[in-house]
Amino acid sequence: MALDHKDVKDIANLARLAISDENIDKYSTELSSILDLVEQMNAVNTDGVQPLAHPTDAVQRLRADVVTESNNREKYMANAPAQEEGLFLVPKVVE
Amino acid sequence: MSTNMHNLTLAQISKGLEAGDFTSVEITQHFLDRIEKLDQSESGINSFITVSKEQALADAQAADERRAAGNATQWTGVPFAHKDIFCTDGTLTTCGSKMLSNFVPPYDATVVDNFKKEGAVCLGKTNMDEFAMGSSNESSFFGGVKNPWNKETIPGGSSGGSAAAVAARLVPAATGTDTGGSIRQPAALCGLTGLKPTYGRCSRFGMIAFASSLDQAGPMTQTAEDAAMMLNVMSSFDEKDSTSIDQTIPDYTATLNDSIAGKVIGLPKEFFPESLDGEMAEKVRAAIAEFEKLGCTVKEISLPSTDLAIPAYYVVAPAECSANLSRMDGVRFGHRCEDPKDVEDLYKRSRGEGFGDEVKRRIMIGTYALSTGFYDAYYVKAQQIRRLIKNDFVSAFESVDIIMGPVTPSPAFKAGSHSGDPTEMYMEDKFTLSCNLAGLPGMSIPAGQINGLPVGLQMIGNYWDEAGMLNMAHQFQQKTEFHKQVPQGI
């Protein structure tokens, strides 16, 4: 599977990754080479095989719906790159 | 107190502290001095990203007081290090990335907490491939790590910092994580004992996620006895990790001296392909012959889906990493770009600047594999192949107790030699990936050297049989000297 420049740009956009134009060639070659490797999977017929989601087929545990976290707001906010009055700051979203 | 304290194993240090041969402060200072001299200098090994000097000495002091008060455990005052993937409350945790180069977690990972409760002394956080993606430690934002056996070669990855630090005796043992071989491969290339437990054995809470259905924490040590001692602390059932399994945890040190006579070792023909380096095959077969001397028998088996592990892994791991790493968006923590013009620009440039090349490649492959119209062809197909790989192992374990083979195709390679096609690096993990895909426990133990560089013997055990693997490894190490060899000048 070969990915062209447009494919690479589309994928980068979906992944919200800025990549420079001069690197698109490189990514298109590298990603195509990885997909070639991955497509070796097609050599085997897996019709009817149950996909394995958990190695020991365990199921999700449930817990009681009770508060377990204590309030550490200031500590959690300490890593925020930009904040004001206890809120995360981002560029304007709605005009 | 001896000047060669750094050559002691965990078990010996634990006994030395108990006997009063030295204090925790003394041995902690000894290792900190070595780190400063051999690791943090210009031409140093670079195995640590953060050295927690003051905290370590304070913890050592507290450990000595705890011992004086009569409340010490086997681990109280014993120094070790954590891979920089485990969140440590108040201590920088980077995961080897520019993205988290300023991240100070507000909480401890469960594995970190387990060691703290014992009063163990963490000396710092070890270098690693960025977000654990790599097999050479060259993708770290903080620079590559040198293999103490030959400083021109790589130590393996992604737990390369932990491996190099233990090999250079900068620390007696360290934690690692293994998603596709990241404990076993660097352990093999640095001459250590490394163990990846059954999926669900160690809590993943606070261990920065790469591929959630594959990631497991485990010990990297000098001996199997130390690995058992370490796994005793690392293992726990944890409500905070929804994939943690509530399964009885044995004392892994209790069965180390059991006889292994009569155990059946399976040798998968797929682990010994014609293309396998002749010297590597010879070392591995010689190690297996030692087990035969101990009364084990050998049986040839087949794991027919082995070759599918690489393609399936390079769908599952990137797909899960693309989802896990979406939380790094420049809003709540981590790197943020300058002057974003809108939210989309904030996300894209923060991520574009914060992630390195290999991480970007994997995020993009994963995003593609999970995108509309491709999900069944890639992710579901890969999960079906995982089932086939697991089924191979399940039927093999009906007639054998343990599976053995090489860990890596070759010894450590030169830094920079695998920088072309990324898939060339992926081949490094061809013998280790299937174990993660099936969720089985795996181990690497030293099995000699090729051209002065260590190579490992891989053992794959049945589900939850870490104790059986450690017993086999310990018995082997009672009869062999490979694990006692250290790099020159150490």
Side-chain angles (χ1 to χ4, degrees), chain B residues 357-370:
Chain B
D357 259 354
E358 180 60 21
V359 174
K360 283 184 200 157
R361 277 195 287 271
R362 295 203 195 185
I363 289 175
M364 287 198 276
I365 288 290
T367 302
Y368 179 73
L370 293 177

Side-chain angles (χ1 to χ4, degrees), chain B residues 167-207:
Chain B
R169 302 294 187 259
L170 303 176
V171 71
T175 55
T177 60
D178 192 315
T179 303
S182 284
I183 286 174
R184 290 159 288 155
Q185 184 254 14
L189 302 189
C190 289
L192 305 179
T193 299
L195 189 153
K196 179 206 95 75
T198 308
Y199 183 79
R201 175 90 295 177
C202 298
S203 170
R204 293 187 301 107
F205 179 77
M207 185 175 109

Side-chain angles (χ1 to χ4, degrees), chain B residues 70-151:
Chain B
N71 303 320
T73 73
Q74 201 188 18
W75 267 97
T76 307
V78 176
F80 76 108
H82 277 302
K83 182 178 182 179
D84 206 21
I85 198 168
F86 292 97
C87 285
T88 40
D89 193 347
T91 300
L92 187 70
T93 300
T94 70
C95 223
S97 182
K98 179 180 178 184
M99 179 59 90
L100 295 180
S101 56
N102 58 358
F103 178 62
V104 179
Y107 66 100
D108 280 326
T110 297
V111 165
V112 169
D113 196 37
N114 290 351
F115 280 100
K116 274 194 181 172
K117 282 182 185 140
E118 297 284 322
V121 178
C122 177
L123 302 186
K125 309 290 292 288
T126 58
N127 206 338
M128 56 182 284
D129 278 300
E130 184 180 9
F131 287 104
M133 299 174 200
S135 307
S136 69
N137 222 109
E138 290 169 293
S139 77
S140 169
F141 174 65
F142 300 90
V145 176
K146 298 187 178 90
N147 187 325
W149 289 86
N150 176 341
K151 290 186 178 170

Side-chain angles (χ1 to χ4, degrees), chain B residues 34 38 45 147-151 167-168 449 452 485-490:
Chain B
R34 282 181 68 78
L38 300 170
I45 294 165
N147 187 325
W149 289 86
N150 176 341
K151 290 186 178 170
Q449 294 174 9
Q485 288 163 346
V486 290
Q488 267 191 338
I490 293 304

Side-chain angles (χ1 to χ4, degrees), chain A residues 34-53:
Chain A
I34 298 170
L35 288 178
D36 284 343
L37 175 77
V38 157
E39 272 154 23
Q40 292 171 13
M41 291 194 305
N42 297 331
V44 60
N45 184 337
T46 52
D47 289 350
V49 176
Q50 179 69 25
L52 184 137

Side-chain angles (χ1 to χ4, degrees), chain A residues 1 34-47 51, chain B residues 308 311-316 319 365-386:
Chain A
M1 176 82 200
I34 298 170
L35 288 178
D36 284 343
L37 175 77
V38 157
E39 272 154 23
Q40 292 171 13
M41 291 194 305
N42 297 331
V44 60
N45 184 337
T46 52
D47 289 350
Chain B
L308 295 166
Y313 179 86
Y314 281 98
V315 172
V316 174
I365 288 290
T367 302
Y368 179 73
L370 293 177
S371 59
T372 314
F374 295 106
Y375 180 77
D376 285 346
Y378 288 108
Y379 195 71
V380 173
K381 179 89 181 177
Q383 296 285 61
Q384 288 174 315
I385 287 174
R386 280 183 84 169

